[in-house]
Amino acid sequence: MCIFNRFNAFRFENALLPAKFAAVFIFVTLPLFLSCNKSYGKNAVSSEPPVQIDPRIVKFGFVYDSMGERFKDEVFIPEDKILDCVDRIEKVIADDRDDLLRFNDKKHLLPSDYAPTDLIPLKNCEAFVVSRNDLRLRKTVYENLLTLGTAAKNDGITLVVSSTYRSYAYQERLYERNVRELGQEMADRESAKPGSSQHQLGVVVDFGSVTDDFAKTAQCQWLNENAMDYGWSLSFPQGYEDVTGFRWECWQFRYIGEEACRLQKEYFNDVQHFLLEFIDAWKNN
């Protein structure tokens, strides 16, 4: 406890130091204060052995500090839960062989030539209906959409799939059309610039009418109550436009897996963006 508090005090009191300098300073000086015992005088000897700090806690501190202010205002992980959170983050990363947790937003763009290699077409089936005949999803996501749709069907709900994978070129055309029709400012709230859309990843589904009216439907209510149990997470929740860059979209759900959904709910204030941003920073530090 004493060590972590010292580390926290250092991080917050030195928030204005350049990141690289702070990192070097901590790792160079860390061994000098890895004990909570104070000794004074030339021959003073501590009666207790030095306490070792887990390097993952140090890394956690750096990654946490790299997050935005709203993240730090809303995401609180008690000290006795940090290693559990870290263990679970590392597990979902290790298990993510299909790269389903890739982070992209308005600041983290996908290249123009990015396209999943395992896209498969969607057709009307017992589990759900499609609004167009040109829809595709990644294979793993499609299989889990079948599971989600079947569960909804068993509860008397038929899911309508309206939009799925979009190529960079498709998103480019869509964005340019929205700029012409809505103006730049409104288009940026309603539509993703090419490279910033989760649709290019092939892991999201727009359900129903793709309008705010969808929130009033039985489909949406069922998804809000049950989707996370099957690994599906709402991409753009209400009230988080300053975080995600997009206004509330009650219709867009992304498949991230059941364990990632549990992690999102337990530790990241149930906000998908917070979880994926933290995972991305963890992988790159």
Side-chain angles (χ1 to χ4, degrees), residues 235-246:
S235 293
F236 306 124
Q238 195 164 22
Y240 283 86
E241 186 173 348
D242 62 314
V243 173
T244 66
F246 300 101

Side-chain angles (χ1 to χ4, degrees), residues 1-4 6 29-39 44-54:
M1 185 72 70
C2 174
I3 292 169
F4 194 82
R6 288 188 186 187
T29 61
L30 193 60
L32 301 180
F33 58 87
L34 284 186
S35 171
C36 291
N37 307 302
K38 294 183 178 179
S39 300
V45 178
S46 172
S47 61
E48 297 181 20
V51 179
Q52 299 299 315
I53 187 169
D54 192 311

Side-chain angles (χ1 to χ4, degrees), residues 1 29 53 55 58 61 82 88 165 172 176-177 184 186 192 202 267:
M1 185 72 70
T29 61
I53 187 169
V58 178
I82 288 176
R88 290 169 65 181
Y165 168 73
E172 191 171 39
E176 290 174 351
R177 186 188 72 189
Q184 185 76 55
M186 185 58 68
Y267 286 125

Side-chain angles (χ1 to χ4, degrees), residues 161-176:
V161 178
S162 300
S163 183
T164 51
Y165 168 73
R166 299 175 191 163
S167 67
Y168 185 97
Y170 181 100
Q171 191 66 32
E172 191 171 39
R173 294 191 298 272
L174 178 62
Y175 177 76
E176 290 174 351

Side-chain angles (χ1 to χ4, degrees), residues 103 198 204 232-237 252-256 264 268 270-277:
F103 180 59
Q198 290 186 348
V204 301
W232 293 82
S233 163
L234 183 69
S235 293
F236 306 124
Q252 180 170 316
F253 286 77
R254 172 173 177 167
Y255 181 74
I256 61 174
Q264 172 187 316
F268 292 91
D270 206 12
V271 177
Q272 181 194 115
H273 188 99
F274 286 161
L275 170 69
L276 297 182
E277 182 182 31

Side-chain angles (χ1 to χ4, degrees), residues 98-234:
D98 294 321
D99 197 25
L100 298 175
L101 301 179
R102 182 162 181 164
F103 180 59
N104 77 307
D105 64 0
K106 291 184 176 181
K107 297 179 181 178
H108 302 79
L109 303 180
L110 298 171
S112 59
D113 61 350
Y114 177 88
T117 58
D118 58 346
L119 293 169
I120 58 176
L122 274 64
K123 297 179 180 179
N124 288 329
C125 61
E126 292 184 0
F128 55 80
V129 298
V130 298
S131 63
R132 297 180 357 221
N133 59 11
D134 61 344
L135 302 180
R136 294 182 293 167
L137 279 174
R138 294 194 58 191
K139 184 175 185 296
T140 298
V141 180
Y142 169 75
E143 292 168 351
N144 284 279
L145 177 61
L146 288 174
T147 302
L148 181 74
T150 299
K153 200 81 169 181
N154 290 339
D155 287 341
I157 302 295
T158 299
L159 297 180
V160 178
V161 178
S162 300
S163 183
T164 51
Y165 168 73
R166 299 175 191 163
S167 67
Y168 185 97
Y170 181 100
Q171 191 66 32
E172 191 171 39
R173 294 191 298 272
L174 178 62
Y175 177 76
E176 290 174 351
R177 186 188 72 189
N178 284 330
V179 170
R180 288 194 304 271
E181 295 178 355
L182 303 174
Q184 185 76 55
E185 183 177 353
M186 185 58 68
D188 285 340
R189 296 185 65 207
E190 300 283 345
S191 179
K193 291 181 179 179
S196 66
S197 173
Q198 290 186 348
H199 283 279
Q200 191 179 345
L201 294 167
V203 297
V204 301
V205 171
D206 287 350
F207 291 100
S209 62
V210 196
T211 67
D212 291 349
D213 290 337
F214 180 67
K216 304 172 185 177
T217 67
Q219 279 187 72
C220 189
Q221 292 171 17
W222 188 91
L223 287 166
N224 288 334
E225 293 173 5
N226 299 282
M228 293 191 78
D229 293 338
Y230 299 93
W232 293 82
S233 163
L234 183 69

Side-chain angles (χ1 to χ4, degrees), residues 74-85:
E74 297 187 10
V75 176
F76 173 74
I77 302 175
E79 290 183 22
D80 62 347
K81 294 290 187 180
I82 288 176
L83 288 180
D84 175 67
C85 178

